[in-house]
């Protein structure tokens, strides 16, 4: 396998990892705020903060890992995306900064500030929307290079049905993934009231998620026919995705095997995300960067892959330890230890 | 509007803000770990409480360190896209490894925070602090190699403006790396020890504390000042090594910092002073031959002057003030803890006299100022280059017209974060003094019992 394929696969896996862990985090922030204004906060907040507190920092690293990796494997991408994304990415940075630091202010510092809670919940929906713009741009047509100046076509972007459907898909998926995870977590904690609440959320948000997936698919066929055709050739991946979606919803509806239900949600997004990504190739930015001409030199690619393997040998045991101590520790999840 | 200037200002502002929290992120875990270890070994609740309270404040600063670190990571590509396109081929390995080190630190910090009373043996919990120290230290090391590369690029050849035949390891281990890493680490540990010493001194100064509280803060003071003194000494050594490195590899930076214009043997060291209309130093203190000694450990050695460099490749001369301020503070930070320990040894002298405590309290902010000055010296001293000898700053910056707007957006963000950080930390500690918490956590403790 060539270096660029290894590189893009590694990055895509990390982006997928971010998609899952960040969705749980972003959605939880929104649900926590929603529970507060609907006066259900006493049911929800313990559960959410018990999961989030030890991992919020880890979530952020997945994202940093992805963009540092992109620049490392594909320095050309740094030039195009860096030039075009100055404004939207700066806004995303600010939203991330508000969210991350306010979480700490709220949870470790002063207790119970409604403003922090609101900002935490609101940024949880705005960040996925702003980050999804980068994926929209990669389809081409929004970034233009003229006389050596790379610029973003804001008017095209804001009037594009495809861009809006991606934003909508990002937001509803976040809420759906998060609710599915919290359902599983509440069942582990044996917390019946919370389970009832988040189970309803999961069932509710599954409907717009599957609708948005379809509309995005259709909008893509209008925007980038090449990519759409490539995805049709990968029909089986999307078929598996829909299959796992139905398994997840059925299990949640039947109130059983919530763990398997969440794994099905993960697999649903896994196949959709990798099908989308595989269909995108060979372009990283249509039509300016393909993975073969944008890739870094061989010696750096080898060094990055070596560093990646070394890093994983360190991280995987650490992550397993983290999960054993918090996620899969029955006493901790039930709140018997602080 | 000068986009290059604004690009520089945005980066300077973000980094200037970030390094305060990054320094805390590297140094404070070491202090927390030391306090917890002493507490476990001596079975002394005071030290255990120190570790807990330091950790609680630390989390707030880590949060700001993480978000501003994310900001600078993305800004590298947003503000300097041309730089990343070219240099990304050479520096992505250390950037990548830095993220790994940070990842490692983040995982174990979460565990450390939430497992205080979960293990049968307290030492198990203490062990979790080690990966936090290691992760923080290594992320500093890796990111410093990137900066070192920009000062003394190595490990590649160039072909039509792109870097080819890249050896990433050689690029990381470029000539500037050892001295920079040594100086960055020693000053981070020094600064955090000085910060915590300043807090302890300030608390004793306030005098409102009960006996119980005073015993606690005095122990904190002794521990932190010991570490301050050790790292201040190490830091002077690492600073000297850095100066000798500049004399050999980055002569124009040392020459500009020292207002050393003509190449000569037995060069004088210039302290303080200002530049008159003819760009000649005035009001300065001259130490004969000291610059030669500083540069090559030999009073008669030759030191290259600024005249050897073309005018458009010289750093600005105002970095001299940064150099002076940094060095003077570095010496103060060694002298004051030393004074404290001398005073404690002299009979009938009070080491907790108001004056002594005030001096210690000033050391904390001074140490952070020295970090900022030293960093400005290092960065502005490599102007006009972004990659010294290969790419000038104006070739690297974005051409986007929105860059000015982004400056104010980020300025606003840092003002909000900085203010809320101070408010949150004050609330956290003011309403919950150490003595109350000690009694709550260790009900068996008797007032004034533990000395």
């Amino acid at each position: 396998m060539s270096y660029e394929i290894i590189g893009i696969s590694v990055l895509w896996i990390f982006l997928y990892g971010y998609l899952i862990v960040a969705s749980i985090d972003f959605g939880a922030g929104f649900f926590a705020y929603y529970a507060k204004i609907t006066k259900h906060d006493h049911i929800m907040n313990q559960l959410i903060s018990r999961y989030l507190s030890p991992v919020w920092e880890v979530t952020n690293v997945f994202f940093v890992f992805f963009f540092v990796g992109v620049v490392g494997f594909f320095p050309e991408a740094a030039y195009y995306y860096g030039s075009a994304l100055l404004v939207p990415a700066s806004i995303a940075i600010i939203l991330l900064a508000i969210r991350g630091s306010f979480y700490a202010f709220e949870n470790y510092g002063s207790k119970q500030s409604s403003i922090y809670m609101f900002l935490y919940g609101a940024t949880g929906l705005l960040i996925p929307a702003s980050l999804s713009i980068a994926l929209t741009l990669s389809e081409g047509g929004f970034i233009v290079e003229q006389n050596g100046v790379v610029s973003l076509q804001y008017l095209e972007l804001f009037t594009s049905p495809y861009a809006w459907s991606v934003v909508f898909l990002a937001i509803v998926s976040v809420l759906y993934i998060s609710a599915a995870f919290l359902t599983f977590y509440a069942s582990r904690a044996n917390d019946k009231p919370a389970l009832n609440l988040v189970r309803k959320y999961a069932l509710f948000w599954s409907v717009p998620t599957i609708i948005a997936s379809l509309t995005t698919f259709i909008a893509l066929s209008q925007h980038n026919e090449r990519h759409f055709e490539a995805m049709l050739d990968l029909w089986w991946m999307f078929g598996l995705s829909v299959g796992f979606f139905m398994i997840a919803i059925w299990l949640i509806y039947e109130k059983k095997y919530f763990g398997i239900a969440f794994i099905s949600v993960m697999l649903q997004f896994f196949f959709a995300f990798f099908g989308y990504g595989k269909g995108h190739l060979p372009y990283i930015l249509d039509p300016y960067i393909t993975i073969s001409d944008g890739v870094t030199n061989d010696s750096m690619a080898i060094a990055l892959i070596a560093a990646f393997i070394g890093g994983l040998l360190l991280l995987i045991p650490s992550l397993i330890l983290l999960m054993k101590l918090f996620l899969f520790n029955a006493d901790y999840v039930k709140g018997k230890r602080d | 509007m000068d986009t290059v200037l604004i690009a520089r200002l945005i980066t300077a502002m973000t980094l200037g803000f970030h390094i305060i929290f990054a320094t805390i992120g590297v140094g404070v875990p070491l202090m927390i770990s030391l306090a917890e270890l002493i507490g476990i070994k001596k079975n002394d609740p005071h030290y255990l409480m120190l570790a807990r309270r330091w950790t609680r404040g630390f989390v707030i600063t880590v949060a700001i360190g993480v978000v501003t670190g994310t900001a600078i990571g993305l800004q590298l590509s947003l503000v300097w896209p041309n730089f990343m396109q070219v240099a990304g081929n050479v520096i992505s390995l250390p950037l990548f490894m830095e993220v790994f080190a940070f990842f490692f630190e983040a995982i174990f910090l979460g565990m450390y925070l939430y497992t205080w009373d979960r293990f049968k043996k307290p030492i198990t919990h203490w062990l979790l602090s080690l990966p936090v120290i290691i992760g923080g230290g290594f992320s500093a090391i890796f990111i410093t190699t990137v900066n070192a590369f920009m000062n003394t690029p190595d490990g590649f050849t160039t072909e039509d403006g792109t870097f080819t035949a890249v050896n990433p390891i050689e690029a990381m281990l470029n000539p500037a790396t050892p001295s920079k890493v040594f100086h960055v680490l020693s000053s981070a540990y020094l600064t955090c020890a000085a910060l915590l010493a300043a807090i302890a001194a300030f608390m004793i100064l306030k005098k409102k504390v009960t006996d119980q509280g005073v015993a606690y803060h005095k122990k904190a003071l002794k521990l932190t000042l010991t570490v301050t003194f050790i790292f201040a000494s190490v830091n002077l050594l690492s600073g000297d090594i850095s100066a000798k490195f500049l004399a050999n590899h980055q002569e124009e930076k040392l020459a500009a910092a020292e207002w050393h214009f003509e190449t000569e043997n037995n060069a004088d060291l210039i302290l303080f002073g200002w530049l008159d209309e003819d760009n000649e130093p005035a009001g300065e203190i001259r130490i004969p031959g000291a610059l030669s000694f500083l540069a090559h450990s030999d009073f008669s050695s030759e030191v290259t002057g600024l005249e050897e460099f073309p005018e458009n490749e010289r750093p600005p001369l105002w970095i001299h003030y940064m150099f002076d301020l940094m060095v003077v503070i570095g010496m103060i930070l060694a002298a004051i803890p030393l004074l404290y320990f001398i005073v404690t040894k002299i009979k009938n002298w009070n080491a907790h006299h108001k004056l002594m405590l005030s001096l210690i309290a000033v050391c904390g902010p001074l140490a952070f100022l020295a970090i900022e000055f030293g960093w400005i010296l290092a960065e502005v001293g490599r102007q006009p280059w972004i990659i010294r000898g290969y790419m000038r700053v104006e070739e690297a910056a974005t051409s986007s017209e929105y860059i000015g707007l982004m400056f104010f957006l980020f300025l606003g963000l840092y003002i909000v974060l900085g203010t809320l950080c101070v408010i949150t930390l004050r609330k956290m500690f003011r309403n919950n003094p150490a003595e109350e918490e000690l009694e709550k956590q260790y009900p068996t403790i008797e007032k004034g019992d533990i000395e």
Side-chain angles (χ1 to χ4, degrees):
Chain A
M1 207 165 21
S2 57
Y3 299 134
E4 60 262 32
I5 292 292
I6 298 176
I8 198 73
S9 308
V10 163
L11 294 173
W12 211 240
I13 289 167
F14 262 83
L15 192 59
Y16 169 74
Y18 182 65
L19 184 134
I20 298 295
V21 293
S23 292
I24 295 172
D25 180 37
F26 292 149
F30 176 79
F31 289 134
Y33 180 70
Y34 181 73
K36 193 180 170 72
I37 54 173
T38 52
K39 305 244 182 312
H40 287 115
D41 43 341
H42 56 286
I43 304 176
M44 292 277 295
N45 286 0
Q46 278 296 315
L47 187 78
I48 288 175
S49 77
R50 245 193 322 266
Y51 166 74
L52 283 183
S53 296
V55 301
W56 66 269
E57 222 193 331
V58 176
T59 306
N60 209 49
V61 192
F62 271 93
F63 176 56
V64 178
F65 196 101
F66 173 73
F67 72 70
V68 168
V70 168
V71 174
F73 277 104
F74 307 100
E76 290 277 309
Y79 171 69
Y80 281 96
Y81 284 113
S83 300
L85 281 171
L86 179 69
V87 176
S90 293
I91 292 170
I93 295 172
I94 285 167
L95 293 172
L96 280 168
I98 290 174
R99 185 182 169 79
S101 49
F102 282 24
Y103 180 76
F105 295 153
E106 156 91 13
N107 276 273
Y108 306 110
S110 57
K111 287 280 169 207
Q112 305 301 329
S113 157
S114 307
I115 302 168
Y116 289 176
M117 282 282 279
F118 168 73
L119 285 170
Y120 192 68
T123 49
L125 296 188
L126 292 174
I127 292 168
S130 68
L131 291 181
S132 65
I133 289 178
L135 279 184
T136 310
L137 296 183
S138 72
E139 296 296 341
F142 303 113
I143 292 180
V144 175
E145 186 180 30
Q146 271 173 335
N147 309 325
V149 177
V150 176
S151 56
L152 183 58
Q153 309 300 107
Y154 286 95
L155 187 68
E156 270 87 345
L157 184 65
F158 287 127
T159 54
S160 156
Y162 175 65
W164 286 109
S165 60
V166 170
V167 166
F168 183 65
L169 176 62
I171 292 173
V172 293
S173 317
V174 157
L175 294 171
Y176 168 59
I177 293 171
S178 187
F181 175 80
L182 290 173
T183 307
F184 157 68
Y185 200 67
S187 77
R188 295 253 341 162
N190 239 342
D191 185 343
K192 286 268 158 55
L195 176 64
N196 283 333
L197 195 62
V198 287
R199 182 178 154 270
K200 268 186 226 150
Y201 294 162
L203 292 173
F204 179 83
W205 289 108
S206 65
V207 180
T209 301
I210 205 72
I211 293 172
S213 309
L214 273 173
T215 53
T216 308
F217 212 61
I218 295 162
L220 182 67
S221 72
Q222 304 295 312
H223 185 81
N224 187 333
E225 215 186 322
R226 181 201 62 79
H227 191 179
F228 178 73
E229 297 287 338
M231 279 165 74
L232 284 186
D233 291 342
L234 296 164
W235 60 270
W236 59 275
M237 292 185 90
F238 298 96
L240 279 173
S241 177
V242 173
F244 280 112
F245 169 76
M246 297 201 302
I247 293 172
I249 288 308
W250 183 68
L251 288 176
I252 293 172
Y253 182 75
E254 292 284 317
K255 299 186 190 175
K256 57 187 179 190
Y257 306 122
F258 290 115
I260 295 171
F262 182 66
I263 290 172
S264 303
V265 171
M266 283 175 69
L267 288 171
Q268 174 200 337
F269 280 89
F270 180 88
F271 284 109
F273 193 66
F274 277 78
Y276 166 85
K278 195 168 187 319
H280 203 298
L281 293 181
Y283 291 103
I284 289 183
L285 172 58
D286 208 339
Y288 295 105
I289 317 171
T290 66
I291 61 164
S292 47
D293 62 35
V295 75
T296 186
N297 52 67
D298 285 1
S299 51
M300 180 51 88
I302 295 168
L304 286 176
I305 292 166
F308 178 73
I309 293 167
L312 278 191
L313 291 178
L314 203 66
L315 288 183
I316 289 174
S318 318
L319 280 170
I320 290 173
L321 184 60
L322 186 76
M323 289 202 267
K324 271 181 86 169
L325 279 172
F326 298 106
L327 192 52
F328 296 109
N329 184 304
D331 282 351
Y332 175 81
V333 176
K334 286 172 189 160
K336 287 183 186 156
R337 290 165 165 179
D338 65 352
Chain B
M1 190 177 64
D2 184 358
T3 54
V4 178
L5 179 68
I6 296 174
R8 290 179 62 195
L9 287 176
I10 286 192
T11 309
M13 178 173 69
T14 302
L15 273 173
F17 190 70
H18 176 65
I19 56 175
I20 297 171
F21 300 95
T23 303
I24 294 175
V26 173
V28 169
L30 178 73
M31 299 303 302
I32 293 171
S33 177
L34 276 176
E36 195 187 5
L37 183 65
I38 296 172
I40 293 169
K41 288 281 164 208
K42 287 190 175 175
N43 199 16
D44 184 337
H46 281 157
Y47 285 102
L48 294 172
M49 186 51 63
L50 266 181
R52 277 181 192 246
R53 285 173 69 92
W54 283 344
T55 304
R56 222 175 299 139
F58 177 67
V59 182
I60 302 293
T61 61
V62 165
I64 301 182
V66 170
V67 298
T68 52
T70 309
I72 190 66
L74 270 166
Q75 276 181 0
L76 271 183
S77 299
L78 297 174
V79 178
W80 309 99
N82 305 308
F83 162 71
M84 286 310 284
Q85 184 184 22
V86 174
N89 287 300
V90 195
I91 59 167
S92 25
L93 180 66
L95 283 175
F96 207 61
M97 287 164 82
E98 197 254 341
V99 182
F100 269 121
F102 171 48
F103 211 149
F104 190 62
E105 183 188 359
I107 291 171
F108 281 93
L109 182 63
M111 290 188 217
Y112 185 79
L113 284 174
Y114 285 90
T115 55
W116 278 100
D117 298 312
R118 256 172 87 172
F119 301 108
K120 279 192 195 105
K121 288 185 187 162
I123 203 79
T124 315
H125 178 257
W126 174 78
L127 285 174
L128 291 173
S129 71
L130 298 181
V132 180
I133 300 175
I134 294 168
F138 271 97
S139 59
I141 291 171
F142 291 135
I143 207 67
T144 306
T145 67
V146 175
N147 185 273
F149 171 83
M150 291 157 81
N151 281 278
T152 52
D154 200 3
F156 62 89
T157 53
T158 46
E159 211 171 279
D160 313 322
T162 55
F163 292 162
T164 52
V166 175
N167 181 340
I169 305 289
E170 213 174 292
M172 274 176 75
L173 302 177
N174 62 76
T177 295
S179 57
K180 264 189 186 279
V181 164
F182 187 25
H183 200 46
V184 163
L185 282 182
S186 66
S187 54
Y189 294 130
L190 161 63
T191 302
C192 292
L195 168 73
L196 298 172
I199 292 172
F202 183 74
M203 294 310 290
I204 303 172
L205 263 179
K206 282 202 342 190
K207 263 195 171 177
K208 278 181 208 152
V209 283
T210 60
D211 294 345
Q212 175 71 25
V214 170
Y216 165 86
H217 291 301
K218 281 183 180 171
K219 281 178 189 170
L221 194 65
K222 205 173 145 196
L223 169 64
T224 51
L225 281 178
T226 309
V227 180
T228 307
F229 181 70
I230 293 169
F231 280 104
S233 316
V234 173
N235 196 46
L236 291 177
L237 175 70
S238 69
D240 183 58
I241 291 172
S242 301
K244 288 185 167 48
F245 164 79
L246 290 182
N248 288 318
H249 294 274
Q250 247 183 313
E251 294 155 317
E252 75 280 14
K253 192 189 269 185
L254 185 70
E258 277 301 323
W259 290 344
H260 180 64
F261 300 110
E262 285 160 32
T263 303
E264 58 184 2
N265 297 327
N266 192 25
D268 296 350
L269 184 72
I270 293 180
L271 286 178
F272 310 113
W274 60 89
L275 288 177
D276 62 17
E277 310 79 271
D278 311 320
N279 253 1
E280 287 294 321
E284 82 278 22
I285 302 169
R286 275 181 185 268
I287 307 176
L291 183 59
S292 290
F293 188 75
L294 183 74
H296 305 291
S297 304
D298 172 7
F299 284 102
S300 57
S301 62
E302 184 184 271
V303 182
T304 313
L306 209 51
E307 59 176 12
E308 310 281 336
F309 297 90
E311 218 157 300
N312 67 352
E313 289 180 15
R314 291 180 196 168
L317 292 173
W318 59 264
I319 61 172
H320 173 72
Y321 306 116
M322 299 293 120
F323 191 60
D324 277 353
L325 288 167
M326 173 187 75
V327 173
V328 169
I329 294 173
M331 299 204 168
I332 292 174
L333 292 178
I336 290 179
L338 185 64
L339 182 69
Y340 172 84
F341 288 114
I342 292 172
V343 170
T344 51
K345 296 282 172 234
I346 299 176
K347 262 188 190 168
N348 300 330
W349 281 36
N350 180 10
H352 301 100
H353 186 269
K354 263 190 181 171
L355 187 67
M356 187 72 238
L357 291 173
S358 309
L359 285 174
I360 296 168
V362 173
C363 280
L366 276 184
F368 279 97
L369 282 176
I371 294 269
E372 297 283 351
F373 295 145
W375 172 69
I376 294 170
L377 164 73
E379 294 303 278
V380 179
R382 107 179 112 89
Q383 293 302 310
W385 302 108
I386 191 162
I387 308 171
R388 183 170 164 267
Y390 291 94
M391 188 183 225
R392 293 174 73 96
V393 167
E394 59 267 24
E395 299 167 281
T398 181
S399 48
S400 171
E401 56 197 303
Y402 299 108
I403 188 95
L405 198 64
M406 295 302 113
F407 176 84
F408 291 103
L409 210 58
F410 281 105
L411 179 66
L413 174 70
Y414 302 141
I415 291 173
V416 170
L417 289 185
T419 316
L420 287 177
C421 175
V422 174
I423 292 174
T424 310
L425 286 175
R426 277 173 66 120
K427 255 193 192 165
M428 203 178 214
F429 292 105
R430 180 164 285 188
N431 305 332
N432 185 17
E435 52 275 20
E436 272 177 30
E437 210 186 334
L438 271 164
E439 279 168 43
K440 235 180 274 166
Q441 185 77 31
Y442 305 98
T444 53
I445 203 169
E446 279 179 45
K447 286 191 180 178
D449 188 27
I450 299 146
E451 265 302 324

